Amino acid sequence: MEALINNIKENAKIIIKGKEYIVKTKTLYGIEEDAEAYYYKCIMNTGDTLVIILDDNLLYIGKEIEDMKYDRPEENVLKYNGKIFNKTGDGNQFIKKIEFGTDVEGKCIFEDFESQDQIISLGYLPDEDKRADILADIIDINDIKISKE
């Protein structure tokens, strides 16, 4: 996973599950509630966000869903499109380092929910006073190829 992060460069072409993306931003984030936790977010030319969480060996890519409609039958459970998602974490995201790019997400108050193959990250951006809810597919490192072009 370290090698993947190190090889993600500005405007690199990345192929994920056969779909091509161009990397526009790469930012290292921390979580206020856990000094040890960190992760990377890369914004693609398509608007998709790739998240890489080294400690959890977790990768996912997805898009922001405006006005996401979901049910919350319990505090730690979401139901979206008939699928159950269980809460895996929450906190306050902050930027540790912008590696490249300009249009990056800043502070975010989030709650993450996971199903077998997807993640929903419910986010609120206090500096912009807007929602930033993401539906993402969990992917394997073998699903990602960085083009040498």
Side-chain angles (χ1 to χ4, degrees):
M1 282 262 249
E2 274 301 334
L4 172 65
I5 289 168
N6 293 335
N7 285 318
I8 295 175
K9 308 289 185 206
E10 190 165 14
N11 293 316
K13 186 191 295 182
I14 294 185
I15 300 160
I16 301 174
K17 290 189 165 187
K19 184 173 178 184
E20 279 188 18
Y21 301 89
I22 305 294
V23 182
K24 293 305 188 183
T25 72
K26 179 177 162 187
T27 308
L28 175 63
Y29 290 94
I31 301 171
E32 288 178 13
E33 294 79 6
D34 183 352
E36 303 294 312
Y38 67 95
Y39 52 94
Y40 288 86
K41 282 187 182 180
C42 299
I43 310 273
M44 306 297 171
N45 62 317
T46 57
D48 290 88
T49 301
L50 172 67
V51 177
I52 304 167
I53 306 172
L54 287 173
D55 285 351
D56 295 340
N57 211 22
L58 179 65
L59 298 158
Y60 58 90
I61 187 163
K63 274 198 183 318
E64 194 171 308
I65 307 288
E66 285 189 38
D67 199 27
M68 183 182 278
K69 303 279 190 239
Y70 56 85
D71 293 321
R72 196 160 185 170
E74 298 172 37
E75 176 64 25
N76 293 321
V77 176
L78 281 187
K79 189 173 182 184
Y80 180 73
N81 285 348
K83 191 183 274 190
I84 298 294
F85 292 79
N86 294 299
K87 188 170 180 175
T88 56
D90 59 20
N92 290 273
Q93 159 189 292
F94 68 92
I95 294 173
K96 288 181 94 151
K97 181 181 179 192
I98 298 173
E99 302 231 350
F100 58 81
T102 54
D103 190 19
V104 300
E105 185 178 86
K107 283 184 175 185
C108 182
I109 302 163
F110 69 90
E111 289 182 283
D112 288 343
F113 296 82
E114 198 172 311
S115 71
Q116 189 171 346
D117 58 352
Q118 290 185 309
I119 286 181
I120 289 177
S121 185
L122 299 179
Y124 172 70
L125 308 176
D127 294 341
E128 300 174 43
D129 189 27
K130 75 171 228 166
R131 301 284 325 155
D133 302 329
I134 291 181
L135 175 64
D137 293 322
I138 296 170
I139 55 176
D140 185 270
I141 194 163
N142 296 318
D143 294 332
I144 300 177
K145 305 282 182 263
I146 298 176
S147 178
K148 302 292 187 223
E149 292 176 17

